[in-house]
Amino acid sequence: MPAHVLILGGTTEARLLAAELAARPGLRVTTSLAGRVTRPAAVAGEVRTGGFGGAEGLAAWLAERRVDALVDATHPFAARITAHAARAAATAGVPLVVVRRPGWRPGEGDRWHPVPSLAAAAEALPGLGRRAFLSTGRLGLAAFAQLTGVHFVVRSVEPPEPPLPPHTEVLLARGPFTVSDESALLRRHRIDVLVTKDSGGAATAAKLTAARELGLPVVLVGRPPLPAGVTAVPDVPAVLAQLDLAPPPATA
């Protein structure tokens, strides 16, 4: 059973896992945040912010801090961090657990157009609409910067980084959002196509339901593959099982 666990990520799963581990006597948990959000949600246990200096820096940190297990609970699209985690864990001889919530699955009435990348989404977009709700995160807008015939509505917690598409309207907001919220936004801005990543989970799925109800097409960007030899578990209970930690006792 580990005595010190390092969690990478600021996702819902990372926060839930940190809370589970911090409540266990004798177990130290540290959560590492990338620092891209100025006001991150509260996390139980110890918190560090910023990078490690690549896989080599992370491996050194694991050894110096005597980490017994590394959990990658980053966003499903944080491919470089996951690759660094896999290399660092192998170098330091530390067990790695990767947690990835299951991806979304289309339902009746969905008009999804799966694509493998943001570049492919930008290529497909002009044939599907002229007013796009772009919900792919603030760091990937450069892929759409050359599109002059599409008006973009971009929602982000923090201001997006340039380059931006020439016709872009930015909405600063933090979720979660209800289906009613998303339907109102799509109607208000006369959106005719939604572009999003397959992040999975319930927290950001309301926009997909709203798009279905309004009959809008959805360009859905697929996840990057995991590094060779790395597998993922779907949720926090599965992480606890991998760490050989019994589930917490049920409350009366």
Side-chain angles (χ1 to χ4, degrees), residues 215-241:
L216 302 183
V218 176
V219 180
L220 189 69
V221 181
R223 298 178 177 186
L226 291 169
V230 173
T231 58
V233 299
D235 51 31
V236 170
V239 175
L240 296 176

Side-chain angles (χ1 to χ4, degrees), residues 101-198:
R101 68 186 78 120
W104 290 313
R105 294 292 180 266
E108 184 177 355
D110 282 322
R111 297 172 57 197
W112 289 7
H113 299 264
V115 293
S117 65
L118 290 174
E123 185 176 348
L125 187 55
L128 295 171
R130 288 294 179 266
R131 295 186 64 85
F133 179 33
L134 190 56
S135 177
T136 57
R138 67 188 179 92
L139 301 178
L141 302 187
F144 304 89
Q146 80 283 4
L147 296 182
T148 59
V150 179
H151 178 89
F152 290 94
V153 175
V154 176
R155 185 173 63 201
S156 176
V157 176
E158 304 278 342
E161 298 181 0
L164 305 180
H167 307 293
T168 299
E169 183 177 356
V170 177
L171 308 176
L172 297 181
R174 185 191 297 270
F177 303 98
T178 66
V179 175
S180 177
D181 294 333
E182 301 294 52
S183 296
L185 182 150
L186 296 174
R187 287 192 175 98
R188 183 167 62 251
H189 293 277
R190 296 179 287 116
I191 299 299
D192 56 13
V193 60
L194 166 66
V195 185
T196 191
K197 293 178 177 179
D198 184 12

